[in-house]
Amino acid sequence: MSVNNTVAALLAANRTLILDGALATELEARGCDLSDPLWSAKVLIENPELIYQVHLDYFNAGAQCAITASYQATPLGFLRRGLNQQQSLALIAKSVQLAQQARSDYLAQHPQAAPLLIAGSVGPYGAYLADGSEYRGDYSLPQEEMIAFHRPRIAALAEAGVDLLACETLPSFSELQALLALLQEFPTLGAWFAFTLRDSQHLSDGTPLTQVLAALHGNPQVLAIGINCIALENVTPALRQLATLTDKPLLVYPNSGEHYDAVTKTWHACGGENGSLIDQIGEWQHIGARLIGGCCRTTPQDIRQIAARCKA
């Protein structure tokens, strides 16, 4: 069985594939309180219609790929809320259905925009811990336990019909290896891998990117490689390093330019000496970025500007 490389098909017709932006930021702007270990996944329980609306807003802004609200949606996380395995898997499937419905409704009005992708978000174990460790990678599980943690969510996303997986905000090389092993159970399903970094040469847990890319590079299920949820000023040097290590499509969806304090769980403005996200799009494309969007604190307006800049 061959891998369904949905990314390659879109990139054959587009210089850049436009990803969506922050989900949680938009949910908070619409009144959701996300100060919760489940983060945006709690909205799957409380107000799923809002998630649909955010997806639709991003499609309207020009996004060609929606990332599902499953980043922190895991059976272990939902168990804390008193939900059983069946209920948890139904909520993970719901995250896909909401994105699919937004896509269908958008394409009904804009059929020329097809095809549009749905990427099933697979957040790291550190996101389940809800202690900021997805930016440090200072956790470990035996590989079989890590695979067992991720398997139910990936199976539910695959069964619900995602076009690919977004293995994102990954800080840990051992977790990345576990995900690669688990992907073999879903041989037609492709994934992108996006990391958090300690610096432009190392994963957050300190693993050299040369070692990380060696593990990913020859795998046909790895459709794109890149970075997300990192500070804006770190993007360009990291992309330059990645471009020397792989010829797979590069992806980047950084934070808006503010800095996150994982201890206080707050965002702080920082100096804009490196310019805004929009200012740097051209340089990222020149380095080789083919999938571009936004992560924390970005909005549909940011994606609209990215889409306009890339089309120009």
Side-chain angles (χ1 to χ4, degrees):
M1 288 184 288
S2 60
V3 179
N4 181 19
N5 194 334
T6 51
V7 169
L10 254 171
L11 289 180
N14 299 270
R15 179 186 179 191
T16 307
L17 197 168
I18 309 299
L19 309 180
D20 62 8
L23 175 66
T25 299
E26 285 301 296
L27 292 174
E28 288 178 321
R30 294 159 207 241
C32 297
D33 177 8
L34 302 186
S35 55
D36 185 285
L38 284 177
W39 200 42
S40 58
K42 77 189 281 263
V43 187
L44 286 168
I45 304 170
E46 298 173 354
N47 197 345
E49 174 67 22
L50 282 181
I51 294 172
Y52 158 84
Q53 190 60 55
V54 173
H55 286 316
L56 186 59
D57 286 354
Y58 277 120
F59 283 132
N60 277 311
Q64 296 166 288
C65 180
I67 303 172
T68 62
S70 52
Y71 177 80
Q72 224 142 311
T74 63
L76 275 181
F78 286 132
L79 183 63
R80 295 169 172 165
R81 205 53 59 90
L83 300 178
N84 63 30
Q85 181 91 346
Q86 183 177 1
Q87 292 168 317
S88 300
L89 297 180
L91 285 170
I92 294 167
K94 180 75 170 176
S95 75
V96 180
Q97 293 154 10
L98 292 166
Q100 290 170 332
Q101 186 61 53
R103 174 174 64 181
S104 295
D105 291 349
Y106 179 75
L107 287 176
Q109 300 297 319
H110 307 88
Q112 75 284 357
L116 302 174
L117 302 181
I118 307 297
S121 177
V122 179
Y125 184 75
Y128 156 72
L129 296 175
D131 61 358
S133 56
E134 63 260 57
Y135 306 108
R136 303 187 305 269
D138 56 354
Y139 54 83
S140 63
L141 285 178
Q143 185 175 74
E144 282 307 310
E145 289 183 33
M146 187 66 80
I147 289 173
F149 169 79
H150 283 292
R151 181 183 285 114
R153 173 172 48 183
I154 288 180
L157 292 170
E159 187 174 349
V162 295
D163 298 300
L164 72 159
L165 299 175
C167 298
E168 55 184 354
T169 328
L170 297 174
S172 159
F173 184 56
S174 62
E175 184 167 23
L176 183 149
Q177 291 175 302
L179 285 167
L180 285 175
L182 178 56
L183 268 182
Q184 295 176 36
E185 299 179 16
F186 306 89
T188 63
L189 189 60
W192 78 52
F193 282 76
F195 327 121
T196 62
L197 303 178
R198 176 175 298 181
D199 53 49
S200 63
Q201 309 285 322
H202 299 86
L203 209 58
S204 289
D205 69 357
T207 305
L209 286 181
T210 50
Q211 185 177 351
V212 175
L213 270 291
L216 293 170
H217 179 71
N219 190 316
Q221 288 184 269
V222 178
L223 308 185
I225 298 171
I227 45 181
N228 79 295
C229 208
I230 71 169
L232 207 51
E233 65 268 22
N234 296 334
V235 171
T236 299
L239 277 178
R240 286 184 179 137
Q241 172 69 0
L242 290 173
T244 68
L245 299 173
T246 184
D247 57 5
K248 287 186 183 285
L250 297 181
L251 77 147
V252 55
Y253 49 117
N255 298 333
S256 65
E258 297 173 83
H259 279 257
Y260 182 65
D261 185 325
V263 177
T264 63
K265 300 185 187 301
T266 54
W267 290 90
H268 303 282
C270 58
E273 64 275 5
N274 293 290
S276 69
L277 190 159
I278 305 304
D279 294 334
Q280 299 183 54
I281 297 293
E283 185 171 16
W284 298 344
Q285 288 181 305
H286 180 71
I287 294 169
R290 301 290 308 278
L291 297 83
I292 300 177
C295 202
C296 297
R297 309 291 278 187
T298 58
T299 67
Q301 181 56 28
D302 292 314
I303 299 307
R304 184 172 286 107
Q305 290 181 317
I306 291 172
R309 176 65 59 90
C310 290
K311 287 173 183 173

